[in-house]
Each structure stands twice: as C-alpha cells, then as structure tokens.
Amino acid sequence: MSVSVLSPSRLLGDVSGILQAASLLILLLLLIKAVQLYLHRQWLLKALQQFPCPPSHWLFGHIQELQQDQELQRIQKWVETFPSACPHWLWGGKVRVQLYDPDYMKVILGRSDPKSHGSYRFLAPWIGYGLLLLNGQTWFQHRRMLTPAFHYDILKPYVGLMADSVRVMLDKWEELLGQDSPLEVFQHVSLMTLDTIMKCAFSHQGSIQVDRNSQSYIQAISDLNNLVFSRVRNAFHQNDTIYSLTSAGRWTHRACQLAHQHTDQVIQLRKAQLQKEGELEKIKRKRHLDFLDILLLAKVRAPGLPRPCWCSGWNCFRNHLDQMPYTTMCIKEALRLYPPVPGIGRELSTPVTFPDGRSLPKGIMVLLSIYGLHHNPKVWPNPEVFDPFRFAPGSAQHSHAFLPFSGGSRNCIGKQFAMNELKVATALTLLRFELLPDPTRIPIPIARLVLKSKNGIHLRLRRLPNPCEDKDQL
C-alpha cells in the first residue's frame, strides 16, 4: 500500500525543512549585520582616536548622561574637560562629534556639508523639505527666492506690527495683575510671537492672541519639539514604520495634522485675498513682497515698483532701534546664555582638518554645539555670569564665538527680523512693567529642538507708577 505524497507526515517534514532554512537564513543575515556593525564601530573608534571622551558603553553609549534632562549640564562638563570637541556616543555604531570651539565652528560653517539626514529627516513630516532641510543647489534656489522677504526695507514697516502684537500681550498682562500670584509668561510670549509672524510674514488681519484655536497650534508645536527631540535619541524609533506603531508616533502624527491645518488655513486665506479684484495688482506694486506673497507669486514673477511711504513716527522708532546700545547688549548676552537652538548637525561630505591638526574623515556626523560654544570658559570667561558688557561697542571677540543664529551661508535668514522683534518687545515691556523673578520657580533650561524651560517662566509683574505711554514713545 503506497503512502500519499500529501500525507500529513510529508507536509510536516516539508514545513519543518522550510522553517529550518528560513531560520538559518535569518541567523546568517543577523550575523552579517552584526559583523557590519562591529566593523563600522571599529572604523569609528579609529577615526575618532584623536578625540578623547568619557567612557561609554559599547551598546548604550553615553545614554546615562542623557537621563533626566541633564544634557546641558553634561555639555558644560565636557566643554571644561575636553578641548574643542568631544565624541558623543548615542548607541552602538551611532556617534556624533560635538564641537564647541570657535575655530572649529568657523571651519565647518565655511564648508558646504549637508545637514545630517539621519536626524533632520524626522522634521520632514512636520515642516516638509523647505529651506531648513534642503541641501545643495535646491537649497540655494530657495534661499535666493526668499531673501527679498527679509530685505532691510521690508523689515522697517514691520516694527509697527510688532509693537501692536506686543501691546496686545501687555494689555492681557494688565488684566491679570489683580491676581496675587506670579504669571507664567511662556504661553503669552509664544502667542505674541506667532501673532507677529502672522501679521508680518503672512499679511494676517486681526490678532492671533485672542483666537483660542491658536493655543492648540502652539501646543502642537511644543509637543513636536519634544517628540522629535526624543525620537532622535531612541534607537528603537529610527525606523518610520515601527515609530508609526508606537504611542509617540501616533502622537506625532496628530500634532502634525494640527500644525498643518493651521498653516493650510493661512495659505488658503491669503490665496483667496489675492484673487480679489485689485488685490493682486496692489501686491505687484510692492517693491518688496511679504514672505507668503513671494511663495504664492513665484510663478507670476511680480515686478518691483516704487516702495510705499511709511509713517514718520514709525521711522523715528525704527531709528531708535539702532540707538539702544545697552538694551542690545542685554539681549545679546541673554542669547549667549540661552541660544534659541542649542545645536545644529552636519554630515561631513569630505575629510576635514582643524586648525589644531586633528582631523575627521568623510561620513562623520558633527554637532555644532552652540550652547557649548557660548558656555566655553576658554571663549567666554565666567560663562555662567550675566554680563552685558561682553558686547559693549568696541569689544573684541572671535568672529565665531557668538552664534545664536548660526553662521556662514546657512545662517538664520530671519535673524534681523528676530533682533528687531526682541528690541521692540523688550522696550515696550520695560516701559510698562517691572519684571521680578519668582524665587520659588527659577527656570530650568533643557535641550530640545529649541531651548526651553522645564518648569515654565514665572514672573511677578509690577505696573510702573505713571509710566510713559507706549504710543508717546513710538
């Protein structure tokens, strides 16, 4: 009696053989991957042998140094111990060399290395591939297209819009003065900043600060700031598919949707305005276009015609912006102590040799630690002391010792806009209030995509007696 070729025993034997073959294949692939990782780590160790660093675990790197938001304290400690630069091992074969010496900064910022794709790509679902994430010729074309939006002349009339936004915030503060408790100002300042950008860059009418929907947008941005920062440091969240299945991944997706809803609404509103009869011709007659107008009219190639006239009173205040030396010194010293972006990444496209003779090969990721640079005692004596006179007129400093807006060809395109807004906000606030810290809740700076305070920013406000009216000063 013959045995059927489809008998259960035969099928089980075939399945068993397939599983064994699959298991061997998987083990072989894992072995090959392990060998690749080992060889890559050995290559990194050899490439970085000129750059000492604290002991690190072969798998977990310096992960213990990142616990409980201690990254800024770790940077300060390493800056004092290791000259100019220090490797920071994230895990296994993942490392980046942190730079905090002005000569090192100057070398890297004078090159055209791309931003490190492994980290910056996590921003793409949020902000897309625009000026921040692009590299090479495409980046150059975008930068050239947007540069006119930040022309000196177009920034002038923005001072009035900035002042309007600041006044709305200060009026809200006055309403809250009756409460006998410190005021947490971070949310207020965030809304004021958003309001200013919407008015100046997107020709928005009205005030964002009184719109409740704007608070959800600010919260979404804050969430994304935390989520993307955490993802960069999590070895298990590097793969997009795996990350999308995690709670953090789903949270990121929801926050991106909220952020996109807001920006899409702004764009659609401006498009609708441009379609109104006469509005397009009015825009074309501008000598300098707003940020969004440049993007929407890029294909139209609107010609530049004579610039508009501006209120002489605002011209007076704009001129005063350049005559506020001590206020400017204080703002710069605050930006030194608390740079908006703690660090920026690059991936070396070619080998580099630094002024002290040490070198790094192609393919190494470097992090230009702006926070480390600004707190480097070899660059800034007593770096933790607030001393505005470091920036007194005529004071000498290295060309790359102070980089709150980065440097080189990829410096922040909106740095002058930001400085103007800081001056306007500071001047108008100090005309109306005395600001006192809350000694029970001193801000604790922590590293994120942008620097922030772990426990908020709590201030006590005191209305100045018989203060000068803002409008009389402007």
Side-chain angles (χ1 to χ4, degrees):
M1 182 176 179
S2 61
V3 180
S4 170
V5 295
L6 297 178
S7 64
S9 59
R10 179 68 177 271
L11 287 174
L12 287 175
D14 291 342
V15 170
S16 177
I18 293 173
L19 291 176
Q20 288 179 1
S23 300
L24 288 174
L25 180 60
I26 292 173
L27 287 174
L28 179 61
L29 292 175
L30 289 175
L31 180 61
I32 293 174
K33 188 64 177 178
V35 171
Q36 289 176 338
L37 292 175
Y38 174 79
L39 293 176
H40 181 64
R41 180 175 173 82
Q42 293 303 115
W43 177 80
L44 287 173
L45 289 170
K46 183 177 180 181
L48 303 178
Q49 60 185 354
Q50 295 177 304
F51 297 87
C53 70
S56 64
H57 189 275
W58 68 271
L59 178 59
F60 301 114
H62 292 112
I63 193 171
Q64 294 300 323
E65 302 278 353
L66 302 179
Q67 300 302 315
Q68 300 177 345
D69 286 319
Q70 295 297 306
E71 181 158 345
L72 297 181
Q73 291 81 347
R74 186 260 304 160
I75 290 175
Q76 290 176 258
K77 182 173 65 176
W78 287 10
V79 166
E80 295 174 359
T81 308
F82 304 99
S84 305
C86 180
H88 174 206
W89 292 88
L90 294 175
W91 59 80
K94 184 81 168 179
V95 66
R96 59 189 184 185
V97 180
Q98 294 192 343
L99 314 181
Y100 35 77
D101 177 271
D103 288 321
Y104 276 49
M105 298 286 194
K106 185 175 181 179
V107 169
I108 297 298
L109 292 174
R111 291 160 50 102
S112 57
D113 300 299
K115 294 193 173 182
S116 50
H117 177 72
S119 300
Y120 279 89
R121 70 180 180 87
F122 298 145
L123 289 169
W126 171 14
I127 63 175
Y129 282 94
L131 197 61
L132 179 64
L133 300 187
L134 288 173
N135 292 296
Q137 185 62 25
T138 308
W139 168 84
F140 177 76
Q141 292 171 349
H142 280 233
R143 177 87 179 204
R144 184 172 58 182
M145 180 180 70
L146 293 175
T147 295
F150 298 91
H151 188 279
Y152 177 79
D153 284 343
I154 200 172
L155 293 181
K156 286 182 179 180
Y158 288 168
V159 172
L161 299 175
M162 292 173 180
D164 289 341
S165 296
V166 174
R167 284 201 194 91
V168 172
M169 179 185 72
L170 298 180
D171 290 343
K172 289 169 65 178
W173 288 5
E174 288 219 25
E175 295 175 1
L176 297 170
L177 272 181
Q179 302 177 12
D180 187 21
S181 61
L183 178 66
E184 204 292 307
V185 301
F186 180 80
Q187 188 79 0
H188 294 269
V189 174
S190 297
L191 283 171
M192 181 272 292
T193 304
L194 176 62
D195 193 22
T196 300
I197 293 174
M198 292 289 292
K199 289 176 179 176
C200 297
F202 304 124
S203 302
H204 182 77
Q205 303 297 319
S207 177
I208 290 294
Q209 299 179 74
V210 296
D211 182 1
R212 291 186 177 181
N213 292 331
S214 299
Q215 303 207 10
S216 62
Y217 174 75
I218 292 292
Q219 185 60 52
I221 298 303
S222 177
D223 291 344
L224 288 167
N225 184 22
N226 294 327
L227 289 164
V228 176
F229 181 84
S230 298
R231 185 183 179 187
V232 171
R233 285 155 176 74
N234 191 320
F236 301 104
H237 287 173
Q238 302 301 296
N239 181 271
D240 293 340
T241 302
I242 294 176
Y243 185 65
S244 67
L245 300 175
T246 66
S247 59
R250 294 191 293 271
W251 190 0
T252 298
H253 179 69
R254 289 195 299 269
C256 283
Q257 285 184 316
L258 282 172
H260 293 166
Q261 287 172 4
H262 177 86
T263 52
D264 290 346
Q265 184 179 8
V266 171
I267 293 171
Q268 293 304 320
L269 180 61
R270 189 57 179 157
K271 279 184 176 180
Q273 291 174 342
L274 291 178
Q275 290 172 356
K276 291 180 180 178
E277 184 178 357
E279 187 70 16
L280 183 58
E281 291 303 317
K282 187 189 303 182
I283 295 296
K284 289 181 180 179
R285 286 195 296 271
K286 284 185 178 182
R287 179 176 178 181
H288 301 288
L289 302 179
D290 293 341
F291 176 84
L292 188 57
D293 292 338
I294 286 177
L295 296 180
L296 296 179
L297 299 176
K299 295 182 180 180
V300 179
R301 297 181 182 177
L305 295 174
R307 62 181 172 182
C309 296
W310 298 299
C311 168
S312 60
W314 286 119
N315 274 326
C316 178
F317 185 57
R318 285 191 294 273
N319 291 335
H320 287 168
L321 288 182
D322 297 326
Q323 300 172 15
M324 301 165 60
Y326 187 69
T327 300
T328 302
M329 289 158 54
C330 290
I331 290 173
K332 287 185 175 180
E333 177 66 348
L335 289 173
R336 182 192 67 82
L337 281 168
Y338 308 108
V341 178
I344 53 178
R346 296 288 188 271
E347 184 173 340
L348 299 182
S349 56
T350 59
V352 62
T353 299
F354 296 106
D356 59 6
R358 296 194 291 181
S359 60
L360 291 171
K362 172 184 175 180
I364 292 292
M365 289 190 299
V366 296
L367 180 77
L368 285 72
S369 177
I370 297 173
Y371 188 89
L373 170 72
H374 288 183
H375 290 257
N376 189 338
K378 295 181 180 179
V379 181
W380 302 98
N382 301 315
E384 304 311 310
V385 175
F386 181 83
D387 180 9
F389 286 95
R390 301 179 198 270
F391 297 95
S395 59
Q397 33 179 268
H398 192 289
S399 62
H400 287 65
F402 180 63
L403 298 173
F405 303 108
S406 186
S409 61
R410 297 201 65 150
N411 66 347
C412 177
I413 195 172
K415 63 178 182 178
Q416 190 56 53
F417 179 96
M419 283 300 296
N420 286 352
E421 184 179 13
L422 283 167
K423 292 178 183 180
V424 171
T426 301
L428 293 181
T429 301
L430 295 180
L431 281 172
R432 201 185 299 194
F433 295 105
E434 179 183 8
L435 307 180
L436 302 171
D438 178 2
T440 65
R441 286 180 285 191
I442 302 299
I444 302 172
I446 56 175
R448 292 294 184 267
L449 297 180
V450 294
L451 202 68
K452 62 178 296 186
S453 172
K454 185 176 183 178
N455 57 338
I457 301 176
H458 299 269
L459 296 175
R460 293 185 180 274
L461 307 179
R462 187 172 70 86
R463 187 70 157 94
L464 293 176
N466 301 318
C468 299
E469 290 297 329
D470 300 344
K471 61 183 180 182
D472 295 336
Q473 297 298 309
L474 304 183

